[in-house]
Amino acid sequence: RRDEQGSVTVFVVSITAALLLVAGLVFDGGRMIAARREADAVAGAAARAGVQGLDEAGLRQTDGAPILAPDAIGRVQRYLASTGFTGTATVTGDTISVEVHRTQELSILSLAGLHSSSITGTGSARAVRAVRGGP
């Protein structure tokens, strides 16, 4: 019949669009999950790098492990420069907290108008004194 002509074409186009959207969710969604995991790992590693900026004079004067804030933040920034992430570091007592950011480009979902997503990760490390005087 002539009034049903082209109905299969509409069905095929709509199914193809739906399959592309699902493929985009799977592919780009998986990449975003991996990027978030990587962001947390980079933030933790940056915090560990920063916590190595110990105040040597403070180590001799106290029982704790004080962090020299400017040195620690510089270590974090140098570490982040090699990773492709940007971020900030905060020193509070013997703990350093790092928050990192990066933009994740989307491949398949860009066809639907979603071109990128912001990825954030956090990590922290605490300086500890491993050697104590006396048995």
Side-chain angles (χ1 to χ4, degrees):
R1 295 170 47 183
R2 295 188 72 60
D3 59 345
E4 293 181 10
Q5 207 169 21
S7 62
V8 172
T9 305
V10 173
F11 176 74
V12 170
V13 167
S14 48
I15 289 297
T16 302
L19 288 175
L20 272 174
L21 184 60
V22 169
L25 289 173
V26 170
F27 182 74
D28 288 333
R31 287 181 58 210
M32 289 194 46
I33 290 169
R36 285 192 179 113
R37 194 174 329 138
E38 180 188 11
D40 284 338
V42 166
R48 288 188 296 277
V51 84
Q52 294 175 17
L54 294 174
D55 181 5
E56 291 181 25
L59 282 171
R60 293 183 187 97
Q61 297 170 358
T62 66
D63 288 338
I67 298 173
L68 190 59
D71 185 34
I73 292 171
R75 287 172 182 266
V76 168
Q77 293 304 324
R78 283 191 300 276
Y79 181 84
L80 290 178
S82 68
T83 64
F85 284 86
T86 59
T88 57
T90 307
V91 177
T92 307
D94 62 353
T95 302
I96 185 163
S97 300
V98 177
E99 183 174 308
V100 298
H101 309 279
R102 185 177 79 184
T103 300
Q104 178 69 39
E105 299 299 321
L106 302 175
S107 300
I108 298 174
L109 289 178
S110 64
L111 298 172
L114 301 171
H115 299 286
S116 65
S117 179
S118 179
I119 303 297
T120 302
T122 58
S124 64
R126 188 172 68 93
V128 294
R129 190 176 192 130
V131 179
R132 298 205 185 265

